[in-house]
Amino acid sequence: MAQLDTLDLVVLVILLVGTVAYFTKGTLWGIAKDPYAAAYAEANGHKKGKTRNFLEKMEESGKNCIIFYGSQTGTAEDYASRLAKEGSSRFGLKTMVADLEDYDYENLDEFPEDKMAMFVMATYGEGEPTDNAVEFYEFIKADDVSFSKGASIEEKPLSTLKYVAFGLGNNTYEHYNVMVKNVDTAVSRFGAQRMGDIGMGDDGAGTMEEDFLSWKEPMWIKVAEAMALEEREAIYEPIFGITEREELNADSPTVYLGEPNKNHLEGESKGPYNSHNPYIAPIVESRELFTINDRNCLHMEIDVQGSNLSYQTGDHIAIWPTNAGIEVDRFLNVIGIADKRNTVIGVKGLDPTARVPFPTPTTYDTIARYHMEICGPVSRQFVDSLAAFAPGEASKAEMKKLGGDKDYFQDKIASKYMNISQVLLSVDSERPWSAIPFSAFIEGINKIQPRYYSISSSSLVQAKKIAITAVVEEIKVPGAQVVKGVTTNYLLALKQKQHGDPNPDPHGLTYAINGPRNKYDGIHVPVHVRHSNFKLPSDPSKPIIMVGPGTGVAPFRGFVQERAAQAGKGEKVGKTVLFFGCRKRDEDFLYKDEWDRYAESLGSSFAMHKAFSREQKEKVYVQHLLKQQADEVNDLLENHKANVYVCGDAANMARDVNTVLSQIISEKRGLSIGKAEDIVKGMRSRGTYQEDVWS
């Protein structure tokens, strides 16, 4: 037998690897998608190994309507659940809710013509899909989409797919509701048939909920016609069954008291850490940034050493909050179960496709404290659904009026930012609302979501310590109590504890800051990192213009920190211009003492323009400073191809900055305003104009 030379061996190895790759689809070495994505389901008795074939799932569970959702903050998921529940109770549809990342879509062309689909799609950031919708979006938008039957686009492979679509967006972003628009366009080009108009909710205008409600009624009419459905009187049909587990108590080792999954319960937390599995991180530093007594802004350093969590400058950190004790007490009292708050319960889906949103067995207190957004806004539809369980006829009539009259609801509830407990107490504070099934709250109140903060440190400078900058939020409502931010007050309590207060109660709020079974003792907080496209140029010599008033300066502290470190290593650093604004230099000038140190490292390449809005009669904002520096701004953009970064308020500041930049380009280059706006749009599309904004 002839000897194999080195080249022969290499070729054979390549062929062998290629063969294995083909037949295993890379599963032998592929990165695990998310070992914790099904943690809740497994904790509640569901088996592993679920199918990724949604048609197979529909068939085996007897469903004829599937509601797909792409959700980043939980709102789209909530709307999908509400559509499923309403479709079932009003029209007898056999519905199932489907997370887009749980299934494959090559077999969309096999969708039965007697079934229907709904797409509830949120747009994230600058026209991006939500994390759980990325794979679906890339598949359906691809130029070479390949469906299971191999039909071409001309053969309309999705002609049997009947669907409706609702989008969640923000009109302060350029790419308003682009996800639902693009998904609609994509499936339509393959012949899918939309029933009714696309719905588009606008978070920027504060009308998301009413946009959803006004869309769904005519949508149901179209669906009923197309699917030959008959409306019936809607009655409450629970999705979840609740069983009190008398053989267990809150000290039982198998009972979840706020742990997010089984590994945390068993004290064996391990990565990867992500949106299903937080890292319990120590807070190693915390301090107050404001110098006034009636407002707080926190700087915190979170240690991720040993967690395998990593970040890049410009990323976001997610904080997993808990509800304040006073709100937990109020909720449990108003629904009449405060005396059994520590009773252990099991929660199980009564439908094979229902997913319990937290691990069980657990307690009523745990669900209210760690899992339900009991401090969040209340939907008019949810209020209406609770009318049947009111403690009296007068309160029932009031709940029906609130649920049915948009203007009345806005005046009495929405404008006062009432949470569910406050709504029920405002209608009837004399009697407990104990007739409401607890399952209705699990179904009708959103799952509490992590809050995201722009990281205010450089990964080059401190790779294992993540800094955040957060104003402690409160909304003063005329004629109503002050509304407190859930997460920022939780962080303030942690800061107070770290600075020696044994019983912190920021603004009268107390938190279970030691966590379930004291697992957060020693000032820890659950976190994960979300990667962002908000990034410095890869070439540090490229100039940048940053606009960040208030806590919008957070990522730019990281940017400037990084460029100062690069300059200290002898690298050539381009012009680095920061526009910052606050009320008064002696009250809320964030990181006031640091900027001079960065300027020493960066020298003439660093310039900081400061707007102190309340130090003169006429208020001055960052937009005004941009106009004042029009020559420098235009020179950097036109002659040095600078990148522009904006962080902060989307509704006013970011929009104004966009307008001012267009005006500067128009005036300094002698162009029409339309042409200047096109130049700014071009910068956005090339990624040289980036925003990290919120409403």
Side-chain angles (χ1 to χ4, degrees):
M1 180 178 177
Q3 294 291 316
L4 294 174
D5 62 21
T6 302
L7 180 59
D8 292 330
L9 285 171
V10 170
V11 171
L12 284 172
V13 169
I14 291 172
L15 288 171
L16 177 62
V17 170
T19 303
V20 172
Y22 178 81
F23 286 106
T24 68
K25 307 298 184 186
T27 55
L28 293 183
W29 54 80
I31 297 173
K33 186 171 182 180
D34 185 353
Y36 294 95
Y40 296 149
E42 291 168 22
N44 290 307
H46 293 274
K47 296 179 180 179
K48 296 182 180 181
K50 61 182 181 181
T51 179
R52 290 189 59 82
N53 184 328
F54 71 89
L55 291 178
E56 184 178 287
K57 185 71 172 179
M58 291 179 73
E59 186 65 30
E60 69 183 24
S61 56
K63 304 302 182 184
N64 60 5
C65 175
I66 185 167
I67 301 100
F68 296 109
Y69 68 86
S71 186
Q72 195 71 33
T73 64
T75 307
E77 181 179 2
D78 173 56
Y79 284 176
S81 297
R82 287 162 62 180
L83 288 169
K85 192 168 183 62
E86 189 171 359
S88 174
S89 63
R90 284 180 61 185
F91 297 97
L93 283 167
K94 305 299 182 183
T95 58
M96 66 174 278
V97 175
D99 186 331
L100 278 167
E101 71 179 354
D102 286 349
Y103 298 99
D104 299 320
Y105 297 96
E106 289 84 355
N107 62 346
L108 264 177
D109 59 340
E110 299 176 32
F111 201 93
E113 59 184 355
D114 62 342
K115 294 178 170 55
M116 64 170 289
M118 297 185 176
F119 294 96
V120 184
M121 306 294 299
T123 298
Y124 169 59
E126 286 297 306
E128 301 158 26
T130 56
D131 292 346
N132 74 316
V134 170
E135 291 185 13
F136 165 74
Y137 186 68
E138 290 177 348
F139 170 79
I140 204 68
K141 283 281 292 176
D143 293 331
D144 56 347
V145 179
S146 177
F147 292 110
S148 59
K149 294 181 178 179
S152 66
I153 186 172
E154 291 79 13
E155 295 174 287
K156 304 300 181 186
L158 302 187
S159 60
T160 59
L161 173 63
K162 291 191 282 289
Y163 73 98
V164 302
F166 183 82
L168 297 83
N170 187 317
N171 71 10
T172 60
Y173 289 84
E174 180 182 2
H175 302 287
Y176 172 59
N177 260 313
V178 70
M179 280 304 109
V180 74
K181 294 175 184 175
N182 286 351
V183 167
D184 175 69
T185 300
V187 296
S188 294
R189 72 185 176 123
F190 293 114
Q193 308 163 55
R194 173 162 41 82
M195 298 174 285
D197 296 331
I198 297 178
M200 286 187 280
D202 187 359
D203 191 45
T207 59
M208 181 73 75
E209 177 69 16
E210 290 301 331
D211 292 337
F212 174 70
L213 295 179
S214 63
W215 164 77
K216 73 179 183 64
E217 286 309 315
M219 177 275 293
W220 283 125
I221 293 173
K222 293 290 187 182
V223 167
E225 291 174 355
M227 302 293 293
L229 304 176
E230 290 187 11
E231 185 171 0
R232 62 190 188 185
E233 183 180 358
I235 57 172
Y236 176 69
E237 297 174 345
I239 296 173
F240 303 111
I242 296 175
T243 306
E244 295 191 354
R245 303 282 299 275
E246 295 180 0
E247 77 279 12
L248 298 172
N249 61 54
D251 295 325
S252 300
T254 58
V255 174
Y256 290 84
L257 298 181
E259 297 90 350
N261 55 52
K262 190 174 182 180
N263 281 339
H264 281 268
L265 177 68
E266 297 175 347
E268 299 177 355
S269 170
K270 58 184 179 181
Y273 297 107
N274 51 33
S275 59
H276 298 289
N277 183 44
Y279 173 60
I280 311 304
I283 297 173
V284 293
E285 179 187 338
S286 60
R287 68 179 189 269
E288 176 63 56
L289 295 176
F290 286 171
T291 59
I292 50 178
N293 294 325
D294 62 338
R295 297 168 64 216
N296 297 94
C297 185
L298 305 175
H299 173 86
M300 287 186 158
E301 303 265 340
I302 296 170
D303 188 355
V304 295
Q305 186 80 33
S307 69
N308 290 325
L309 277 177
S310 64
Y311 78 99
Q312 291 182 310
T313 309
D315 281 345
H316 301 127
I317 185 168
I319 305 293
W320 291 47
T322 69
N323 287 310
I326 190 173
E327 294 294 346
V328 175
D329 293 344
R330 174 159 46 192
F331 175 71
L332 296 177
N333 276 314
V334 77
I335 64 174
I337 61 170
D339 60 335
K340 55 179 186 177
R341 64 193 309 150
N342 294 318
T343 297
V344 176
I345 61 173
V347 183
K348 184 177 182 180
L350 298 178
D351 181 280
T353 65
R355 179 186 294 180
V356 180
F358 43 78
T360 71
T362 186
T363 66
Y364 291 113
D365 183 285
T366 298
I367 296 169
R369 192 176 301 275
Y370 291 99
H371 298 303
M372 291 201 300
E373 199 79 76
I374 59 172
C375 297
V378 182
S379 79
R380 185 160 59 87
Q381 185 178 8
F382 184 49
V383 169
D384 184 67
S385 72
L386 298 182
F389 307 105
E393 288 303 316
S395 51
K396 178 178 180 179
E398 178 67 5
M399 292 289 277
K400 292 299 290 184
K401 184 176 182 181
L402 287 168
D405 188 327
K406 178 174 74 172
D407 296 332
Y408 188 67
F409 182 83
Q410 174 65 28
D411 179 57
K412 295 290 185 180
I413 306 299
S415 65
K416 297 176 182 176
Y417 298 90
M418 284 190 183
N419 61 40
I420 184 59
S421 304
Q422 293 166 333
V423 171
L424 298 179
L425 286 170
S426 73
V427 174
D428 191 331
S429 61
E430 299 298 321
R431 293 168 289 185
W433 292 71
S434 52
I436 302 175
F438 194 72
S439 57
F441 292 113
I442 298 175
E443 298 158 16
I445 298 177
N446 287 358
K447 181 178 181 293
I448 199 166
Q449 297 291 327
R451 270 55 165 183
Y452 293 93
Y453 297 88
S454 301
I455 293 175
S456 55
S457 55
S458 162
S459 56
L460 179 67
V461 175
Q462 50 183 77
K464 293 301 177 182
K465 277 203 306 184
I466 295 176
I468 64 171
T469 310
V471 167
V472 178
E473 297 175 356
E474 66 175 28
I475 302 172
K476 296 178 180 177
V477 183
Q481 67 178 32
V482 177
V483 181
K484 307 293 186 182
V486 172
T487 309
T488 51
N489 279 281
Y490 170 52
L491 292 175
L492 180 56
L494 287 166
K495 181 253 184 186
Q496 291 175 348
K497 178 73 178 294
Q498 188 167 52
H499 287 259
D501 188 339
N503 299 298
D505 61 341
H507 303 116
L509 305 176
T510 57
Y511 290 86
I513 56 178
N514 287 334
R517 295 182 171 88
N518 292 317
K519 290 175 180 176
Y520 303 174
D521 191 27
I523 321 300
H524 287 68
V525 64
V527 303
H528 72 270
V529 171
R530 182 174 72 187
H531 298 296
S532 162
N533 293 323
F534 196 74
K535 292 289 182 286
L536 281 164
S538 56
D539 179 4
S541 68
K542 186 170 185 178
I544 60 173
I545 299 169
M546 302 165 287
V547 184
T551 54
V553 81
F556 303 138
R557 177 182 182 264
F559 282 19
V560 175
Q561 192 180 70
E562 181 150 318
R563 288 203 154 193
Q566 290 169 328
K569 293 179 180 179
E571 295 185 49
K572 182 182 178 182
V573 174
K575 190 74 176 181
T576 303
V577 182
L578 172 62
F579 291 86
F580 170 75
C582 63
R583 294 180 182 181
K584 294 182 179 180
R585 72 187 76 210
D586 295 327
E587 291 185 359
D588 54 355
F589 186 176
L590 300 183
Y591 304 108
K592 180 179 179 180
D593 298 329
E594 291 188 19
W595 302 114
D596 289 341
R597 296 202 302 271
Y598 298 139
E600 288 178 12
S601 299
L602 290 165
S604 60
S605 65
F606 180 65
M608 185 173 185
H609 303 288
K610 300 174 282 285
F612 302 108
S613 64
R614 300 190 182 182
E615 288 191 354
Q616 58 283 311
K617 186 176 181 180
E618 296 292 328
K619 291 183 179 179
V620 177
Y621 298 113
V622 288
Q623 303 91 298
H624 303 128
L625 296 186
L626 276 170
K627 288 183 178 179
Q628 293 173 14
Q629 303 298 323
D631 288 333
E632 178 187 27
V633 168
N634 182 63
D635 178 60
L636 287 171
L637 294 177
E638 185 173 27
N639 301 318
H640 302 281
K641 309 304 178 187
N643 279 15
V644 175
Y645 301 90
V646 181
C647 183
D649 167 48
N652 299 303
M653 182 276 298
R655 182 172 285 181
D656 288 349
V657 167
N658 185 91
T659 300
V660 169
L661 283 178
S662 297
Q663 291 171 348
I664 289 172
I665 291 170
S666 173
E667 293 168 7
K668 296 300 175 181
R669 304 184 195 179
L671 302 173
S672 69
I673 193 66
K675 179 63 176 174
E677 289 171 348
D678 288 342
I679 291 174
V680 173
K681 287 181 181 178
M683 292 172 60
R684 286 179 179 274
S685 64
R686 294 191 302 275
T688 58
Y689 185 137
Q690 296 184 29
E691 291 181 328
D692 181 3
V693 295
W694 54 85
S695 57

